[in-house]
Amino acid sequence: MAKVKWGIIGIGWFGEYHGDALAGLPNAEIYALCTRTKSRLEEVGRKFGVKKLYTDYNEMLADPELDVVSVTTMWDQHTAPTLAALKAGKHVFLEKPMASTVADCRAIVEAAKASDKYFMVGHIVRFNPRYWAAQREIAAGKIGKIVSLYARRNVPVSIGAAVLPKIGPIIGDGVHDTDIMLWYTGAKIETAYAQTLNVHGHKYPDIGWTTYRFDSGAIGVCENVWCMPDHKGYFPDERMEIIGTEGGIYLQETYPSLQVVDTKGSYTPDPTYWPEIRPGVRGGALAEELNYFLNCVINGTPPTVITPEESMAAVVACLAAEKSAATGQVVKVAEMV
Amino acid sequence: MAKVKWGIIGIGWFGEYHGDALAGLPNAEIYALCTRTKSRLEEVGRKFGVKKLYTDYNEMLADPELDVVSVTTMWDQHTAPTLAALKAGKHVFLEKPMASTVADCRAIVEAAKASDKYFMVGHIVRFNPRYWAAQREIAAGKIGKIVSLYARRNVPVSIGAAVLPKIGPIIGDGVHDTDIMLWYTGAKIETAYAQTLNVHGHKYPDIGWTTYRFDSGAIGVCENVWCMPDHKGYFPDERMEIIGTEGGIYLQETYPSLQVVDTKGSYTPDPTYWPEIRPGVRGGALAEELNYFLNCVINGTPPTVITPEESMAAVVACLAAEKSAATGQVVKVAEMV
Amino acid sequence: MAKVKWGIIGIGWFGEYHGDALAGLPNAEIYALCTRTKSRLEEVGRKFGVKKLYTDYNEMLADPELDVVSVTTMWDQHTAPTLAALKAGKHVFLEKPMASTVADCRAIVEAAKASDKYFMVGHIVRFNPRYWAAQREIAAGKIGKIVSLYARRNVPVSIGAAVLPKIGPIIGDGVHDTDIMLWYTGAKIETAYAQTLNVHGHKYPDIGWTTYRFDSGAIGVCENVWCMPDHKGYFPDERMEIIGTEGGIYLQETYPSLQVVDTKGSYTPDPTYWPEIRPGVRGGALAEELNYFLNCVINGTPPTVITPEESMAAVVACLAAEKSAATGQVVKVAEMV
Amino acid sequence: MAKVKWGIIGIGWFGEYHGDALAGLPNAEIYALCTRTKSRLEEVGRKFGVKKLYTDYNEMLADPELDVVSVTTMWDQHTAPTLAALKAGKHVFLEKPMASTVADCRAIVEAAKASDKYFMVGHIVRFNPRYWAAQREIAAGKIGKIVSLYARRNVPVSIGAAVLPKIGPIIGDGVHDTDIMLWYTGAKIETAYAQTLNVHGHKYPDIGWTTYRFDSGAIGVCENVWCMPDHKGYFPDERMEIIGTEGGIYLQETYPSLQVVDTKGSYTPDPTYWPEIRPGVRGGALAEELNYFLNCVINGTPPTVITPEESMAAVVACLAAEKSAATGQVVKVAEMV
């Protein structure tokens, strides 16, 4: 069993995390890296012992040895490298959100369909074992038909400050919960209404509150506050409440399953998404989803956890919410596409 | 110090609770009762040892000995007895919500202002020590300026079934959180958007989700689900999250401060709002607010915890939310009045 | 109805809190104060507007107008003023723990029995509505026969530092939970085993862990750590778990019912025991227990919430635990008395 | 890279779970099964598609192709197959507790040391990411020196009924927390004191409460109640509190990170230890520890997460606690070995 050769396009902090997770997967080899900044490229290349380093992804994609690429560029620069990688006959693992416009999502969905390689967007929350368990219970009919959903995914001011120059909370984090709500309900979103507030004057507003109406009648609300108090003691402050006609499900991450108090305050080391399980190696849901995609490639079985169409639907709903926030009006999702 | 003579108009379950709370206040005398159904009147009269029993509140209000009345009639029948009681020169403690229309609220506010007796609406949540403590911290500037609020106040299907033929969740429970949000922010609500869903086919929808935009920029969301699963183990499922520019406050009632597990399931005896502290005597926030009003009467100091105008503002915002749910449009609160 | 004239002997921080609580009871008058330090006496006298100020409690007790006294002296100086007050014909509300030796407890119990006035020890936890609700469920048979109990009552290093020069955690805080366990089980404690640790070098050890065996077979464990991290965010960290043959009860104070996050960290304002409900006025369980005793005096009905014998039993068990910690041996409680 | 050939000796429910976990590891092959009951052997053989089926482990161990064995026999029948497997030159993954006597533990430790193959006891809690994160923080000095520990690991009556005919709660579950406490403190246990209670009349008592004194001065308490109410809604009820001189750590599994409410009550699907992640495949900590051992074998690096001596130390302390419970005396651990 030869190791699968994996490349990463876009080596920001999360591209590096892909490497940290791949480093713990014995059947994968971090084979090639691509990013624009040469010093960064060399630094991360040294860290992972990678020889094949590129500043141009087209050169990297020309290597016939390369099996899989992670696309971890900025969210609004996903489309070109994804299309190029699919065209070059690589399996593609693309970070969320799929893309920044409806047209780009459509182009990616079509390219993925046309390819005989595998494609998947990294909807990491689907690999959180608690969300997964919830879905299983819903599918088993335990809570009946879903009628109300509430999701919270809040991060503190200091994290918001790092991210808000690049992306806003609805498309940046709400896309997770939008996807989960679509997954759990099996319904379509008809309308979106959102309010945003720019508290700290970054490029994007740091608060987003979205209300969805599903075609099943269900109501879903997403809270995405990227200016939670820094001293809250943990982040994300992540919750999900799903009320059905026969029952309900309540999820809560990350506290109170773990709290550390030290001389400065309290915090919760991430036990779920990308915990560093050995120096330089990350486990958790990030490793799970990459390992899942890796096994799909090894075994020749297409990924089924999430389809390209589903990834696109989550983006379209979030874009509808952003439009609502900008216009003050209720937006029909059908008019977005 | 003679006991204050207190009458109750409207002896449903909550009118009786007023009696149960008054029974624990040594300076109050349950002096008179009024309700339409004679058998009910006599039953509750016997329970509290009350001789003065009326089916017509005008007769009761004619008694010059009577000092104070609780008005605990159906929420859409508050206005006439309240106006009559004020006109008769009685102190009036009115249950929430103040009234069912803007016009009725205005009439009550004006009558209360014109009277030299005291008037207060029973916004019981303001007497929950945790909400009160939160307000004190906010007033002390601990969390800076409020930018986002979320409230949940959910009750199970079985409770919903009992109440939904009479009142819906936004005006019935959301009025609590609307009032608290107005109190905490010190701002005005500019717009309301709401979605409702009628799951169980009662007169009123059993789910209401409301988004408010305040003139301070803050966003507030109220979740009012009256069809929470019966086996949740406690109710209300009551939460409040207040995020400010400098900090935040998180409230959670009633679980997990208390959980009882027995052979049938689990439940949380109410430790906060109207716990039965001795057979036939209720304490908690209900007793606190009645005791507060009682002491205002005894000491001749007007109640300041909530003004009639504040009670009206909460109702107006909820009616705007109800209108939004009915029309599918965002509603400007200023156009309601 | 004339106001009941109340005196306080011992004006440390908790004697002052008694005053703060009495200040909120319309039927009580803070009538006399006694403490050794003259400047402190005058300061607190001014605060409460009290004219009758004493440095010698015998002089205070000679006043025939005085109805009730709170004894809030240091825990090992409870006996003399309590006996003197009972002998002088006053109702006595004594702070916990009853006394520091078995002999002193016995003397107080006998004096209380011999008096025709009322006597009660301030076991404030019995007036916490959650503990009270738990007892009611237990008495109603909801959890069957109790087989296991666990109590935690932890406070941070900084609080420990203030108290540990005067009293240790087992007799200081464990006495609360020991009393509650005796109350809930209706059983007697047969043996006590305890371990203590002196982390910070104060007069008393700051950690106490006690295991009780009850004559019913039940096992009870009390955790009393007075050196919890200061940044925990709330205190006390107070829990009670009661497992019975048919069910169980789980109590948790004070977080997570309320959390405030500010620019320095997080904290939970006390919502339960002695919250300041107006400037200079304390409510909560402290006001409840004083009000209860006040109403016993007004109505001429003896207090029944806790008997002197029960207060003594809790102290004896704690002293057995302290002896176990000192000797390393299991101690039979019967040999203590 | 050829697959590692893995055998399982002892196919009770947990031996089967080993198979379910191995089924999800692409580099492992479930190669051989051994159990006494032929029908069970064939049933599980069919489930995993295994051809090599044995009722005598000596026959199985004679197969030179076999690389690794899981020993998942009854806890008091661990020794013989473990010694035989080591003697036969196999890598051995042994379930906890290591053995039922000090002498057996010693024999296993010595055989493991004498072998050039790998040996590890399945202390699964060390592979729970939250416990692991806690250890990392402790090792980094975040909470200073540990002074107090509390662990709860409770399961409901119905689970207790299934297990108590075979093993008791102190050695059965307390061994987890005893090991964790030894791991976190890096200290030795000097004395053990325990109380047990047999509520339901099974072979073993269903309640165990243990107090350890460590040579570092730390105090550790383990709660092991195997008769928690069935309607608690989740299990295990698992908590760990670690208080140090500079901070503290608080762990809580499994609720409230996930709760499902249905028409019968509420429950928490296991998200941590051995969740079924696909039909017939288990993930979580069980898969993690087997995968860890598998990678040790593949890479030729000895396992370091837990040593045989550490596994033995946890058993010895638990046996001291059992002796204390039986005699009513404090037991010195040094006298056990």
Side-chain angles (χ1 to χ4, degrees), chain C residues 58 60-64 66 82-91 117:
Chain C
N58 287 307
M60 180 172 119
L61 295 169
D63 183 339
L66 182 68
T82 298
L83 296 180
L86 287 167
K87 203 173 162 191
K90 309 304 179 192
H91 302 286
K117 298 293 172 175

Side-chain angles (χ1 to χ4, degrees), chain C residues 24 44 52 58 68 106-107 159-160 183 196 229 233 267 269 284 292:
Chain C
V44 180
K52 299 191 174 280
N58 287 307
V68 184
R106 190 173 293 121
I159 300 289
W183 187 35
T196 56
Y267 58 98
Y292 170 77

Side-chain angles (χ1 to χ4, degrees), chain D residues 166-278:
Chain D
K166 297 181 225 156
I167 193 166
I170 292 178
I171 187 70
D173 255 352
V175 74
H176 286 299
D177 299 304
T178 302
D179 170 56
I180 295 292
M181 288 181 179
L182 289 164
W183 188 36
Y184 286 172
T185 59
K188 285 194 165 50
I189 294 173
E190 289 192 330
T191 61
Y193 173 79
Q195 286 280 355
T196 56
L197 179 61
N198 194 325
V199 179
H200 291 90
H202 298 294
K203 181 175 173 191
Y204 291 99
D206 33 18
I207 298 180
W209 272 99
T210 304
T211 303
Y212 292 126
R213 185 78 188 213
F214 291 80
D215 64 0
S216 62
I219 302 164
V221 171
C222 296
E223 173 181 355
N224 298 106
V225 172
W226 281 8
C227 59
M228 183 171 93
D230 274 324
H231 291 280
K232 176 66 172 137
Y234 58 93
F235 77 88
D237 181 3
E238 179 185 346
R239 284 142 206 251
M240 173 72 80
E241 175 204 36
I242 310 135
I243 296 179
T245 51
E246 310 296 324
I249 298 181
Y250 298 81
L251 273 132
Q252 185 170 344
E253 292 269 351
T254 52
Y255 182 83
S257 59
L258 178 58
Q259 182 195 30
V260 182
V261 185
D262 68 6
T263 55
K264 281 172 289 195
S266 71
Y267 59 98
T268 296
D270 168 24
T272 300
Y273 287 112
W274 41 79
E276 203 178 13
I277 56 172
R278 297 193 292 282

Side-chain angles (χ1 to χ4, degrees), chain B residues 121-139:
Chain B
V121 178
H123 284 270
I124 193 170
V125 180
R126 292 203 182 197
F127 288 85
N128 178 327
R130 283 164 284 282
Y131 285 84
W132 186 90
Q135 195 275 340
R136 194 175 50 175
E137 303 302 308
I138 293 165

